[in-house]
Structures are given as structure tokens and as C-alpha cells.
């Protein structure tokens, strides 16, 4: 489209110089020229290496160029190939997956870990994805699975980590480093334990404050309120860039951040527990723009 606009500008400059005026407007994917308002000079001789070779009006040549450019099909940008990983934690699937179905910029595949460990990282096509989105909560990961997961960051695959994936792999310090934080269960022998030091609460009206207002992930967003789940007592690494936070007194802070790992970009968003959050347009925009940013698009 930029090439077409540039060609139109050049045509307009020429016709103005020739004592005429022409315009173009987009109609249904093509262009139509507005009528000329002044007569054109009939001919302009073209000289090549000192010889007169033709007497075609320059306007004809320029118009032919415009028509050629306008008629070339504009290839749509390729959709991002996204792998959405779940397992180890229940959730309402239909409204969650609708976040990705409604995103016209992506095509996505859903993969669920087996109960024993992180089997998704054994997929033969793992390295073919532009972005991996984690919405899982696993305890165990084998050494081979770790190696294959870490290989994503040598390739530059984007990683978007959502909500309860902050709890995964408590015994693997490298995971905390990669995603930029960790929620540690207060009592590892009793998952879901809530204490004053660490815990969670459902059905909270959370005021969300945009911290990194100029960042592509938060572009177009203003402070908003979301009905969701808060965590408190989680750790946040010092090398992250905060994106969003909250004024809620009990909630942990920040609520979202980004960092780099190897050749990859990584985003974590603490929000995203249930349908009220999944259907929130601000949350959907955060997820969509996180995917695009981590894909370096």
C-alpha cells in the first residue's frame, strides 16, 4: 500500500507541473482516477542518448506505471504461528481459547502436557512456532524436556507466560530466571495453601495501572479495572521491565513485565484466571500485543 501511495504522489506532482491535476481514491481494493481539471500538453518527446526515440506523452507512461502497481496483488502479512500450552491446572476452555480464535493475526495450536511431566516440549514441531504461550502449571520436567525448552531461546522463539504458569517447576531455578519471577507455594505438600506471606484470592476488582505507557505491549491502553484473581508473595527478578501494576493493597506488584532471554523476548502477565478476565478487551489486547511483540513483528 505504501508503494501505491508513493506512486500516486509522484503522478500528482507531474500533473501539477504539466498544468493539470489528477487524484486517486481507493475503492474496494483498487484505485480510480478523478477527472483532469485542465488540458494536458499533448506530447513530451523522450530523448535517449541524444536521439528522439518516441513521442509518447509522459502522462501515459506515468499512468501505466500507476495502473501496474495498483493491479499487483498485495500479499497479506503471514499469520504468526502460536503454540498454546496447557496442563496441570483446570480452566474454562471455551472463553480462554476464544482469546486466540478471535485474534486474526495468528493461527494457533493447542497442546496439553501429560500428567507426569512437560511432554509438550517433546513435540517434533516445537521449533516451528513463532511464539509459545504458557498457561500450564507443572511440577515436573525432565532433563531432556529442559534442554528442548531452552533451545527455544537459541532460536529466538517468543514466550508469553500467563497467570498460573508462574507456579511451575518450583525445583528448577532456570525457569524462574527465564520468566522473570516465581510464585512459591507456602506449603509444597499442600498445594493451594494461603497464608499472609503468599496466597491468592478470586473475584477481585483489580485496578490496573499502565506503567510502560510507550511500550508496544501497552500501546493504546489506558488504566482499567478487571474482575480477576490476585496473587501476593511472588518474587520478581530485578532485570525485568514492568509493564502494568495495580494500586490494590494486597496484590503483588507488578502485574506484568517483559525481559529478554537469549535471542528471545519474554512477557509475563499475572492476570487471566477466568471468563471475566478472558472477555475483558483490555486483557485481550495485552495478550495479543504481547504475542506480536515477542514475535518481533
Amino acid at each position: 500500500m505504501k508503494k501505491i501511495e508513493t506512486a500516486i504522489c509522484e503522478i500528482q506532482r507531474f500533473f501539477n507541473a504539466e498544468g493539470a491535476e489528477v487524484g486517486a481514491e481507493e475503492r474496494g481494493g483498487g484505485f480510480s482516477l478523478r477527472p483532469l481539471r485542465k488540458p494536458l500538453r499533448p506530447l513530451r518527446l523522450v530523448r535517449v542518448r541524444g536521439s528522439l526515440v518516441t513521442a509518447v506523452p509522459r502522462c501515459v507512461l506515468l499512468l501505466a506505471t500507476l495502473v501496474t502497481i495498483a493491479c499487483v496483488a498485495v500479499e497479506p502479512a503471514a499469520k504468526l504461528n502460536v503454540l498454546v500450552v496447557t496442563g496441570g491446572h483446570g480452566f474454562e476452555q471455551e472463553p480462554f481459547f476464544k482469546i486466540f480464535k478471535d485474534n486474526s493475526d495468528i493461527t494457533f495450536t493447542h497442546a496439553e502436557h501429560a500428567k507426569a511431566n512437560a511432554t509438550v516440549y517433546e513435540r517434533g514441531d516445537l521449533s516451528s512456532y513463532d511464539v509459545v504461550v504458557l498457561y500450564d502449571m507443572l511440577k515436573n520436567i525432565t532433563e531432556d524436556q529442559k534442554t528442548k525448552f531452552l533451545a527455544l531461546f537459541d532460536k529466538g522463539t517468543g514466550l508469553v507466560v500467563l497467570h498460573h504458569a508462574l507456579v511451575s517447576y518450583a525445583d528448577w531455578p532456570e525457569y524462574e530466571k527465564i520468566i522473570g519471577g516465581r510464585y512459591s507455594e507456602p506449603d509444597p505438600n499442600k498445594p493451594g495453601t494461603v497464608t499472609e506471606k503468599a496466597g491468592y484470592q478470586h473475584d477481585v476488582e483489580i485496578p490496573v495501572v499502565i506503567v510502560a505507557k510507550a511500550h508496544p505491549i501497552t500501546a493504546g491502553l489506558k488504566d482499567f479495572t478487571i474482575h480477576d484473581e490476585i496473587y501476593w508473595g511472588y518474587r520478581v527478578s530485578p532485570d525485568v521491565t514492568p509493564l502494568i501494576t495495580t494500586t490494590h493493597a494486597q496484590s503483588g506488584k507488578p502485574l506484568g513485565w517483559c525481559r529478554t532471554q537469549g535471542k528471545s523476548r519474554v512477557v509475563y502477565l499475572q492476570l487471566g484466571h477466568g471468563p471475566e478476565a478472558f472477555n475483558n478487551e483490555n486483557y485481550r489486547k495485552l495478550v495479543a500485543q504481547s504475542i506480536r511483540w515477542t514475535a518481533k513483528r
Side-chain angles (χ1 to χ4, degrees):
M1 192 61 68
K2 283 290 184 185
K3 291 182 179 179
I4 295 174
E5 292 172 354
T6 301
I8 291 170
C9 290
E10 292 302 319
I11 293 289
Q12 288 173 329
R13 289 193 193 100
F14 166 73
F15 278 113
N16 289 337
E18 292 294 311
E21 187 174 304
V22 67
E25 57 185 350
E26 188 176 357
R27 290 184 178 177
F31 286 83
S32 63
L33 296 176
R34 295 195 296 271
L36 301 176
R37 297 201 292 188
K38 297 179 183 179
L40 290 173
R41 298 174 188 175
L43 294 177
R44 176 65 62 90
L45 298 180
V46 180
R47 183 178 296 273
V48 178
R49 294 182 180 178
S51 301
L52 295 177
V53 296
T54 185
V56 178
R58 286 174 62 199
C59 63
V60 173
L61 296 176
L62 289 168
L63 283 171
T65 301
L66 175 61
V67 170
T68 300
I69 294 172
C71 290
V72 173
V74 178
E75 291 292 333
K79 290 190 175 185
L80 297 173
N81 194 16
V82 177
L83 180 67
V84 181
V85 181
T86 65
H89 193 290
F91 63 98
E92 295 194 42
Q93 296 196 12
E94 184 176 350
F96 174 73
F97 288 122
K98 198 170 187 299
I99 295 173
F100 306 97
K101 290 177 181 177
D102 291 347
N103 186 342
S104 60
D105 292 335
I106 71 170
T107 179
F108 80 96
T109 300
H110 169 223
E112 184 176 4
H113 294 300
K115 291 183 179 180
N117 48 52
T119 52
V120 168
Y121 302 134
E122 298 172 4
R123 291 176 64 99
D125 65 346
L126 184 64
S127 65
S128 69
Y129 293 94
D130 299 303
V131 178
V132 174
V133 176
L134 300 184
Y135 196 64
D136 55 350
M137 196 175 84
L138 268 288
K139 290 184 177 181
N140 301 316
I141 182 169
T142 68
E143 292 302 316
D144 182 58
Q145 291 163 356
K146 289 177 183 178
T147 298
K148 291 174 179 177
F149 178 67
L150 292 174
L152 294 174
F153 310 110
D154 295 328
K155 181 178 179 293
T157 303
L159 184 69
V160 177
V161 185
L162 302 178
H163 196 51
H164 49 244
L166 189 68
V167 187
S168 294
Y169 315 123
D171 297 326
W172 187 29
E174 187 73 9
Y175 182 73
E176 178 176 351
K177 176 185 173 183
I178 291 166
I179 69 171
R182 160 87 71 205
Y183 176 93
S184 296
E185 294 273 9
D187 185 347
N189 297 317
K190 295 180 180 180
T193 299
V194 173
T195 69
E196 289 185 3
K197 290 186 177 181
Y200 57 90
Q201 183 179 344
H202 299 144
D203 300 318
V204 178
E205 294 297 315
I206 308 172
V208 178
V209 178
I210 308 300
V211 176
K213 296 183 179 181
H215 200 284
I217 292 174
T218 57
L221 287 170
K222 298 180 180 179
D223 296 353
F224 63 93
T225 300
I226 189 170
H227 187 85
D228 207 343
E229 179 184 27
I230 59 169
Y231 294 165
W232 62 89
Y234 54 83
R235 298 191 293 268
V236 180
S237 302
D239 68 342
V240 305
T241 298
L243 297 169
I244 57 174
T245 191
T246 182
T247 55
H248 192 284
Q250 191 173 14
S251 174
K253 301 170 182 66
L255 293 180
W257 58 77
C258 63
R259 65 179 303 276
T260 58
Q261 178 68 29
K263 297 179 181 178
S264 300
R265 292 174 173 179
V266 179
V267 175
Y268 173 71
L269 300 175
Q270 186 275 326
L271 302 172
H273 176 71
E276 292 88 350
F278 304 152
N279 294 328
N280 186 295
E281 289 303 317
N282 297 290
Y283 179 70
R284 283 170 161 249
K285 193 166 187 176
L286 278 171
V287 173
Q289 293 181 170
S290 293
I291 290 172
R292 179 162 290 281
W293 183 77
T294 58
K296 302 176 183 177
R297 292 287 184 88

